[in-house]
Protein backbone atom coordinates (compact mmCIF):
# COMPACT_ATOMS: atom_id res chain seq x y z
CA UNK A 1 0.00 0.00 0.00
CA UNK A 2 1.05 3.59 -0.67
CA UNK A 3 0.19 6.00 2.14
CA UNK A 4 -0.30 9.77 2.02
CA UNK A 5 0.03 11.89 5.18
CA UNK A 6 -0.89 15.50 5.94
CA UNK A 7 0.49 16.95 9.15
CA UNK A 8 3.45 14.57 9.30
CA UNK A 9 5.65 17.01 11.25
CA UNK A 10 3.18 17.40 14.14
CA UNK A 11 2.92 15.55 17.43
CA UNK A 12 0.74 12.69 16.15
CA UNK A 13 1.99 12.96 12.57
CA UNK A 14 5.62 12.19 13.39
CA UNK A 15 4.65 9.08 15.33
CA UNK A 16 2.24 8.05 12.56
CA UNK A 17 4.89 8.31 9.83
CA UNK A 18 7.21 6.10 11.91
CA UNK A 19 4.43 3.54 12.35
CA UNK A 20 3.65 3.49 8.64
CA UNK A 21 7.30 3.04 7.70
CA UNK A 22 7.47 0.05 10.04
CA UNK A 23 4.36 -1.66 8.65
CA UNK A 24 5.12 -4.50 6.25
CA UNK A 25 1.95 -3.73 4.30
CA UNK A 26 3.17 -0.20 3.43
CA UNK A 27 5.55 0.06 0.50
CA UNK A 28 5.82 3.85 0.41
CA UNK A 29 4.88 6.98 2.38
CA UNK A 30 4.33 10.44 0.91
CA UNK A 31 4.11 13.24 3.47
CA UNK A 32 3.12 16.88 3.03
CA UNK A 33 4.75 19.78 4.86
CA UNK A 34 5.03 23.53 4.41
CA UNK A 35 8.79 23.09 4.85
CA UNK A 36 10.52 19.78 4.15
CA UNK A 37 12.23 18.59 7.39
CA UNK A 38 15.99 19.02 7.44
CA UNK A 39 16.42 15.36 8.44
CA UNK A 40 14.52 14.09 5.40
CA UNK A 41 16.51 11.50 3.52
CA UNK A 42 16.95 7.87 2.58
CA UNK A 43 14.86 5.41 4.57
CA UNK A 44 12.20 7.94 5.48
CA UNK A 45 9.05 9.21 3.79
CA UNK A 46 9.02 11.16 0.54
CA UNK A 47 8.40 14.76 1.64
CA UNK A 48 6.55 17.24 -0.54
CA UNK A 49 5.23 20.78 -0.27
CA UNK A 50 1.50 21.39 -0.63
CA UNK A 51 1.75 22.41 -4.29
CA UNK A 52 2.80 18.83 -5.08
CA UNK A 53 -0.66 17.66 -4.08
CA UNK A 54 -2.11 19.21 -7.22
CA UNK A 55 0.68 18.10 -9.55
CA UNK A 56 -0.43 16.22 -12.64
CA UNK A 57 2.13 13.48 -12.01
CA UNK A 58 1.21 12.89 -8.35
CA UNK A 59 1.14 9.10 -7.79
CA UNK A 60 -1.81 6.93 -6.94
CA UNK A 61 -2.26 6.21 -3.22
CA UNK A 62 -4.21 3.60 -1.29
CA UNK A 63 -4.67 5.20 2.13
CA UNK A 64 -4.55 8.77 3.42
CA UNK A 65 -4.12 10.14 6.92
CA UNK A 66 -4.83 13.67 8.14
CA UNK A 67 -3.15 14.88 11.33
CA UNK A 68 -3.56 18.60 10.63
CA UNK A 69 -4.52 20.73 13.57
CA UNK A 70 -3.99 24.13 15.10
CA UNK A 71 -5.62 26.28 17.79
CA UNK A 72 -7.39 29.62 17.73
CA UNK A 73 -4.41 31.18 19.49
CA UNK A 74 -1.85 29.81 17.04
CA UNK A 75 -3.99 30.63 14.00
CA UNK A 76 -4.81 34.13 15.19
CA UNK A 77 -8.56 34.09 14.52
CA UNK A 78 -11.56 31.82 14.12
CA UNK A 79 -11.39 32.23 10.37
CA UNK A 80 -7.71 31.30 10.20
CA UNK A 81 -8.32 28.30 12.45
CA UNK A 82 -11.15 27.06 10.21
CA UNK A 83 -8.99 27.60 7.13
CA UNK A 84 -6.59 24.93 8.42
CA UNK A 85 -8.72 22.52 10.44
CA UNK A 86 -11.67 22.52 8.03
CA UNK A 87 -10.76 23.90 4.61
CA UNK A 88 -7.24 22.50 4.26
CA UNK A 89 -8.29 19.16 5.75
CA UNK A 90 -11.14 18.79 3.28
CA UNK A 91 -8.98 19.89 0.36
CA UNK A 92 -6.51 17.18 1.34
CA UNK A 93 -9.25 14.56 1.69
CA UNK A 94 -10.82 15.43 -1.66
CA UNK A 95 -7.47 15.29 -3.43
CA UNK A 96 -6.53 12.03 -1.72
CA UNK A 97 -9.81 10.52 -2.89
CA UNK A 98 -9.03 11.70 -6.41
CA UNK A 99 -5.60 10.04 -6.17
CA UNK A 100 -7.30 6.73 -5.48
CA UNK A 101 -7.32 6.52 -1.69
CA UNK A 102 -10.10 4.20 -0.55
CA UNK A 103 -9.17 4.35 3.14
CA UNK A 104 -8.89 7.52 5.22
CA UNK A 105 -7.91 8.35 8.77
CA UNK A 106 -8.52 11.61 10.64
CA UNK A 107 -7.32 12.96 13.98
CA UNK A 108 -10.32 14.87 15.30
CA UNK A 109 -11.23 15.66 18.92
CA UNK A 110 -13.37 14.29 21.71
CA UNK A 111 -16.62 16.25 21.73
CA UNK A 112 -16.56 17.02 18.00
CA UNK A 113 -20.07 17.68 16.65
CA UNK A 114 -21.51 19.92 13.89
CA UNK A 115 -23.88 21.48 16.43
CA UNK A 116 -21.34 21.99 19.24
CA UNK A 117 -21.41 25.35 21.03
CA UNK A 118 -17.61 25.48 20.97
CA UNK A 119 -16.32 26.82 17.64
CA UNK A 120 -13.34 24.48 17.87
CA UNK A 121 -15.50 21.38 18.32
CA UNK A 122 -18.08 22.58 15.79
CA UNK A 123 -15.43 22.90 13.07
CA UNK A 124 -14.10 19.43 13.93
CA UNK A 125 -17.63 18.05 13.68
CA UNK A 126 -18.25 19.75 10.35
CA UNK A 127 -15.12 18.13 8.95
CA UNK A 128 -16.19 14.68 10.12
CA UNK A 129 -19.60 15.18 8.53
CA UNK A 130 -18.16 16.40 5.23
CA UNK A 131 -15.83 13.40 5.01
CA UNK A 132 -18.86 11.10 5.01
CA UNK A 133 -19.83 12.41 1.59
CA UNK A 134 -16.49 11.62 -0.10
CA UNK A 135 -17.16 7.92 -0.46
CA UNK A 136 -14.18 6.38 1.30
CA UNK A 137 -14.52 2.62 1.65
CA UNK A 138 -13.13 2.88 5.18
CA UNK A 139 -13.19 6.04 7.29
CA UNK A 140 -11.56 5.87 10.72
CA UNK A 141 -11.80 8.92 12.99
CA UNK A 142 -9.74 9.29 16.15
CA UNK A 143 -11.28 11.49 18.87
CA UNK A 144 -8.54 11.96 21.46
CA UNK A 145 -8.70 14.32 24.40
CA UNK A 146 -5.52 16.17 25.46
CA UNK A 147 -2.54 14.81 23.55
CA UNK A 148 0.54 14.01 25.61
CA UNK A 149 4.00 14.46 24.13
CA UNK A 150 6.74 16.98 23.45
CA UNK A 151 5.65 19.67 21.01
CA UNK A 152 7.85 21.96 18.97
CA UNK A 153 5.93 25.00 20.19
CA UNK A 154 4.68 26.17 23.57
CA UNK A 155 1.01 25.86 24.50
CA UNK A 156 0.79 27.08 28.13
CA UNK A 157 -2.62 25.59 28.94
CA UNK A 158 -1.69 22.22 27.45
CA UNK A 159 1.73 22.26 29.14
CA UNK A 160 0.02 22.69 32.51
CA UNK A 161 -2.51 19.96 31.72
CA UNK A 162 0.27 17.57 30.76
CA UNK A 163 1.86 18.05 34.19
CA UNK A 164 -1.47 17.25 35.84
CA UNK A 165 -2.22 14.29 33.55
CA UNK A 166 -0.75 11.52 35.77
CA UNK A 167 -3.22 12.43 38.52
CA UNK A 168 -6.10 13.48 36.29
CA UNK A 169 -6.25 10.48 33.96
CA UNK A 170 -7.05 7.68 36.45
CA UNK A 171 -9.79 9.82 38.01
CA UNK A 172 -11.74 9.87 34.76
CA UNK A 173 -13.74 6.66 34.66
CA UNK A 174 -16.87 5.29 33.05
CA UNK A 175 -18.35 7.71 30.48
CA UNK A 176 -15.60 10.21 31.37
CA UNK A 177 -12.78 7.84 30.37
CA UNK A 178 -12.83 9.19 26.82
CA UNK A 179 -11.62 12.54 28.22
CA UNK A 180 -8.40 11.10 29.66
CA UNK A 181 -5.19 12.68 28.33
CA UNK A 182 -3.65 10.24 25.87
CA UNK A 183 -0.09 9.82 24.52
CA UNK A 184 0.23 10.93 20.90
CA UNK A 185 2.08 7.69 20.19
CA UNK A 186 -0.98 5.67 21.21
CA UNK A 187 -3.22 7.70 18.90
CA UNK A 188 -0.78 7.25 16.01
CA UNK A 189 -0.55 3.50 16.53
CA UNK A 190 -4.31 3.08 16.64
CA UNK A 191 -4.81 5.33 13.62
CA UNK A 192 -2.31 3.39 11.50
CA UNK A 193 -3.68 0.01 12.56
CA UNK A 194 -7.33 1.01 12.05
CA UNK A 195 -6.89 2.48 8.59
CA UNK A 196 -4.50 -0.13 7.23
CA UNK A 197 -6.00 -3.24 8.80
CA UNK A 198 -9.41 -2.25 10.16
CA UNK A 199 -12.90 -2.91 8.76
CA UNK A 200 -14.64 -0.93 6.06
CA UNK A 201 -17.30 1.61 6.94
CA UNK A 202 -17.24 4.64 9.23
CA UNK A 203 -15.71 4.14 12.67
CA UNK A 204 -15.10 6.62 15.49
CA UNK A 205 -12.42 5.66 18.01
CA UNK A 206 -11.74 7.03 21.48
CA UNK A 207 -8.11 6.02 22.17
CA UNK A 208 -8.53 5.20 25.86
CA UNK A 209 -11.57 2.98 25.31
CA UNK A 210 -11.71 -0.64 24.12
CA UNK A 211 -12.42 -0.84 20.40
CA UNK A 212 -15.93 -2.26 20.66
CA UNK A 213 -19.01 -1.48 18.51
CA UNK A 214 -20.44 0.65 21.34
CA UNK A 215 -17.57 3.05 20.84
CA UNK A 216 -18.00 3.37 17.09
CA UNK A 217 -20.51 5.08 14.84
Amino acid sequence: MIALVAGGTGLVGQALVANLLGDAQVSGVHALARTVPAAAGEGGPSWHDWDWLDAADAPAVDAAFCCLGTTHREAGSREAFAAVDRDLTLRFAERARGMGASRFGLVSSVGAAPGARSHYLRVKGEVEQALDALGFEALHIMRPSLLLGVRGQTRPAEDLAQKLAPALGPALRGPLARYRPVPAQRVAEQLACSVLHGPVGRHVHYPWLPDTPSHRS
Side-chain angles (χ1 to χ4, degrees):
M1 297 178 71
I2 302 296
L4 177 65
V5 178
T9 58
L11 189 59
V12 175
Q14 292 183 62
L16 172 65
V17 168
N19 271 273
L20 294 175
L21 291 173
D23 193 297
Q25 191 169 329
V26 177
S27 58
V29 178
H30 294 277
L32 301 174
R34 286 176 295 180
T35 303
V36 175
E42 187 176 352
S46 298
W47 288 98
H48 311 276
D49 61 27
W50 275 83
D51 290 337
W52 173 88
L53 194 62
D54 296 318
D57 59 349
V61 300
D62 302 289
F65 303 80
C66 187
C67 305
L68 293 173
T70 184
T71 64
H72 288 99
R73 179 175 180 175
E74 290 175 351
S77 68
R78 286 189 170 196
E79 293 73 19
F81 165 77
V84 174
D85 276 53
R86 183 186 61 214
D87 302 340
L88 191 57
T89 294
L90 292 180
R91 176 196 167 198
F92 170 74
E94 290 167 356
R95 185 68 185 107
R97 189 74 183 96
M99 294 166 69
S102 61
R103 307 179 72 86
F104 192 89
L106 172 72
V107 179
S108 184
S109 173
V110 64
R117 295 181 64 182
S118 160
H119 181 259
Y120 178 89
L121 296 178
R122 186 165 64 252
V123 167
K124 296 288 189 182
E126 290 169 353
V127 169
E128 291 186 13
Q129 188 175 63
L131 288 176
D132 292 342
L134 295 184
F136 288 105
E137 178 181 292
L139 174 60
H140 290 267
I141 297 170
M142 301 292 134
R143 286 185 183 168
S145 183
L146 173 69
L147 292 168
L148 301 177
V150 179
R151 293 184 181 275
Q153 74 274 24
T154 300
R155 293 182 178 179
E158 290 191 10
D159 292 344
L160 175 60
Q162 291 213 41
K163 293 178 181 178
L164 298 175
L168 177 63
L172 298 174
R173 300 179 180 179
L176 296 178
R178 66 182 59 184
Y179 292 95
R180 289 179 182 175
V182 58
Q185 177 66 41
R186 182 186 179 103
V187 177
E189 290 173 353
Q190 188 170 357
L191 180 61
C193 183
S194 298
V195 174
L196 296 178
H197 309 289
V200 299
R202 183 185 192 271
H203 302 268
V204 175
H205 308 265
Y206 295 92
W208 273 128
L209 301 184
D211 234 0
T212 63
S214 62
H215 300 136
R216 296 177 184 161
S217 65

